[in-house]
Amino acid sequence: MLTVHDSVNFEANDFDITAYGEVLLDMISREEAPLKECANFTRYFGGSPANVLVNMQRLENKTAFISRVGDDEFGEYLTEILENEGVNLDCMQYDAEEGTPIIFVNKSKETPSWLAYRGADINLQISEQIYDKVENSSIFFTGSFILSKNPARSTAIKIIEYAVKKNKFFAFDPSFRASLWPEGNKGSEIIRELISQADVIKPSLDDAYHLYGQDHPENYLKKYHSDGAKIVVLSLGKDGVLVSDSSSEPLHIPVFSEKVVDVTGAGDSFWSGFLTGILKGLPIKEAARLGNAVAAFKIQGVGALSSVPPLMEIMSYYDIQPIEGGKLNERN
């Protein structure tokens, strides 16, 4: 069983990570106020899986994306960014009837509130090309937003089943919100089933509350493990993260920076650093430190793709040590 002290070994693949899910416009308010009071918004690139991939591409990983946008100018805007960042878009789909999704978010130093307008993302379809991409990747990643409605949900479940069958490292972000699901709270049953299949999950305290109700962080960890979770990284916001494997006491890893401008995409930045660390041979606990380090740089800018330094510079700045035999000196 994988523990927080272990590292993961991967066979050589064409891609380090393939992600499935949404890419969308984040309309972030210029005011720090409740969303209903916000009148001025600025357009940003958004969508959790897309954010993770762009940041991982910047951290010298090979990435591929399975997504769907509207055949419109906003879709062009988003795909041009992905192309310029070097993300492989062989599995990008274009919808002639539904538009590119948009989310309105209030600028906040705490967990922001948001309002989603869905579109083309819901219509993601399965294809042989998607299976091939997952087959040729080391890690498969997805979140919960894309799971909330069909046909994208059924497509996701088929891909996850395939990834698990092929023994791919499955990273899952279980950010369940009943309001997004036509089934309401019954949707949590699907999330809990996928938690049991994942190699690692990274919920926040808000995510845990929406799935299990009010409780203490240590009890949330126990509940995730009871649902079958292997490695749990529980985000505590400004208090860092707890990393748990169910066989030993959880490890607390504090944040690396208290300077906060905007937390939009902070969790995605953590994912990108964390999964990069795993790919480069770091033990799970050290990969979590790298996740915190990348997030520390992100929250000092506005938007999910505010810049971060090169990987080795981040590791040097926060004294994160590579391990002998790891891959941190390899460049793609």
Side-chain angles (χ1 to χ4, degrees):
M1 184 181 73
L2 187 66
T3 76
V4 299
H5 304 287
D6 296 330
S7 56
V8 182
N9 295 315
F10 296 99
E11 297 179 357
N13 282 294
D14 294 339
F15 297 94
D16 295 308
I17 180 171
T18 289
Y20 173 90
E22 71 282 357
V23 60
L24 46 80
L25 290 183
D26 268 338
M27 301 296 291
I28 302 178
S29 69
R30 298 174 189 172
E31 309 97 331
E32 289 191 28
L35 194 55
K36 67 180 181 180
E37 299 176 11
C38 297
N40 300 290
F41 295 83
T42 301
R43 179 188 69 178
Y44 291 94
F45 178 97
S48 177
N51 294 335
V52 171
L53 289 187
V54 170
N55 282 313
M56 289 192 71
Q57 192 73 34
R58 293 176 177 180
L59 294 174
E60 303 172 13
N61 300 282
K62 294 179 181 177
T63 68
F65 196 22
I66 305 164
S67 190
R68 189 179 181 100
V69 294
D71 187 11
D72 52 39
E73 293 193 24
F74 285 154
E76 290 179 18
Y77 162 74
L78 296 172
T79 54
E80 285 176 5
I81 291 175
L82 290 163
E83 288 172 348
N84 291 338
E85 294 286 350
V87 177
N88 180 283
L89 299 182
D90 290 346
C91 296
M92 178 63 72
Q93 301 174 10
Y94 301 89
D95 198 309
E97 297 182 0
E98 297 291 338
T100 299
I102 300 174
I103 291 185
F104 288 86
V105 185
N106 69 321
K107 182 179 178 182
S108 175
K109 294 183 176 65
E110 305 294 336
T111 301
S113 59
W114 48 272
L115 182 61
Y117 292 86
R118 309 292 295 274
D121 58 307
I122 297 172
N123 293 330
L124 263 162
Q125 305 289 332
I126 196 66
S127 70
E128 286 302 318
Q129 192 173 34
I130 289 175
Y131 288 130
D132 290 342
K133 198 66 69 179
V134 173
E135 171 77 24
N136 291 295
S137 300
S138 296
I139 293 176
F140 177 71
F141 173 85
T142 194
S144 301
F145 184 86
I146 199 66
L147 296 169
S148 61
K149 292 187 178 182
N150 277 312
R153 181 196 306 167
S154 60
T155 301
I157 291 173
K158 291 175 184 176
I159 300 171
I160 292 167
E161 289 175 347
Y162 184 80
V164 171
K165 177 182 177 182
K166 292 294 183 177
N167 294 315
K168 300 300 176 180
F169 189 90
F170 176 30
F172 178 49
D173 198 314
S175 53
F176 173 72
R177 297 293 185 274
S179 61
L180 289 175
W181 291 63
E183 302 88 347
N185 283 318
K186 288 186 177 180
S188 65
E189 297 173 9
I190 294 174
I191 297 299
R192 294 170 77 170
E193 171 60 27
L194 295 180
I195 284 171
S196 71
Q197 298 181 50
D199 293 287
V200 61
I201 62 171
K202 191 206 70 63
S204 66
L205 287 175
D206 280 348
D207 296 333
Y209 168 77
H210 282 278
L211 192 61
Y212 299 119
Q214 189 67 47
D215 213 329
H216 298 291
E218 291 77 10
N219 288 336
Y220 283 141
L221 291 174
K222 292 177 182 178
K223 289 178 178 180
Y224 280 117
H225 287 305
S226 178
D227 276 337
K230 300 173 183 69
I231 299 292
V232 182
V233 181
L234 180 62
S235 174
L236 309 176
K238 62 182 178 60
D239 294 321
V241 298
L242 290 174
V243 187
S244 174
D245 59 21
S246 81
S247 65
S248 56
E249 286 295 312
L251 296 177
H252 176 245
I253 301 176
V255 297
F256 286 142
S257 175
E258 295 184 358
K259 179 182 178 182
V260 179
V261 174
D262 176 32
V263 299
T264 304
D268 302 331
S269 297
F270 177 93
W271 267 121
S272 63
F274 177 63
L275 293 177
T276 295
I278 290 176
L279 284 161
K280 302 301 184 183
L282 294 180
I284 298 293
K285 62 180 182 179
E286 284 299 298
R289 291 188 72 233
L290 182 56
N292 268 0
V294 175
F297 281 101
K298 188 269 143 241
I299 62 176
Q300 297 178 49
V302 178
L305 294 187
S306 53
S307 63
V308 296
L311 176 60
M312 295 309 295
E313 185 176 327
I314 295 172
M315 295 188 67
S316 176
Y317 189 85
Y318 289 113
D319 193 29
I320 298 171
Q321 300 298 320
I323 63 170
E324 185 176 350
K327 301 178 182 179
L328 282 160
N329 291 322
E330 297 180 6
R331 298 183 68 89
N332 294 319

